[in-house]
Amino acid sequence: MNALRVISKLLIGSLALWCVYVSVTAFFGVSVYFPLRLADADPIPYHRWQAVRISVFLTFAYFSIIHLLNGSREMYPVKFLEAYLTILTLVAVVIFLQQQVQPSEYLVVLFFGVCAFILHMASRATLRRYFSRK
């Protein structure tokens, strides 16, 4: 297994653990937002809520359009993660620019953009034969 695949598996595992942690703490009335900031002291910033909300809608629209155009076909879960993180990165940049957020907020966008890129690189075919005979 090459290094990129190991890195992507560690990245996916870490994000999955973070998601489970945030979900469980939410059931106990504690809101955590990325990376590990408790929202008890201050509410979750509006621009982050909007970025996630719009990204979910656009990801749903993206996969709906793919389904309507291509019908049902198998897709690996990593492709869903890659699509969501890519859309989240693009939407967050637009919303953060509109809201004129602090420059440090863009580190979160950069992190998710890097995650999307790593997942894209790790999930692509290693060798494509465009001109081979079948």
Side-chain angles (χ1 to χ4, degrees), residues 1 23 33 46 49 56-57 89-90 100 103 107 127 130 132:
M1 190 178 291
S23 299
Y33 63 99
Y46 179 74
W49 280 112
V56 167
F57 290 146
T89 302
L90 297 173
Q100 299 175 350
L107 291 176
L127 178 63
Y130 292 109
S132 66

Side-chain angles (χ1 to χ4, degrees), residues 11-126:
L11 183 66
I12 291 169
S14 299
L15 288 173
L17 287 175
W18 181 81
C19 290
V20 168
Y21 171 74
V22 169
S23 299
V24 169
T25 59
F27 289 122
F28 294 103
V30 178
S31 293
V32 179
Y33 63 99
F34 195 83
L36 289 171
R37 297 178 75 181
L38 294 176
D40 291 339
D42 52 313
I44 296 175
Y46 179 74
H47 59 273
R48 288 193 180 194
W49 280 112
Q50 281 298 91
V52 170
R53 178 177 175 264
I54 293 170
S55 297
V56 167
F57 290 146
L58 288 177
T59 303
F60 181 82
Y62 171 75
F63 283 107
S64 297
I65 291 168
I66 295 240
H67 174 74
L68 292 173
L69 295 177
N70 293 333
S72 293
R73 64 178 184 161
E74 285 187 24
M75 185 176 289
Y76 293 108
V78 72
K79 282 302 197 184
F80 169 78
L81 292 172
E82 175 195 338
Y84 177 73
L85 290 175
T86 301
I87 292 169
L88 176 64
T89 302
L90 297 173
V91 167
V93 166
V94 171
I95 289 178
F96 286 19
L97 287 171
Q98 285 179 344
Q99 299 288 322
Q100 299 175 350
V101 299
Q102 298 175 1
S104 62
E105 287 287 312
Y106 288 95
L107 291 176
V108 174
V109 177
L110 179 65
F111 174 77
F112 286 124
V114 169
C115 288
F117 179 74
I118 289 171
L119 293 178
H120 173 73
M121 295 302 290
S123 66
R124 67 188 177 129
T126 55

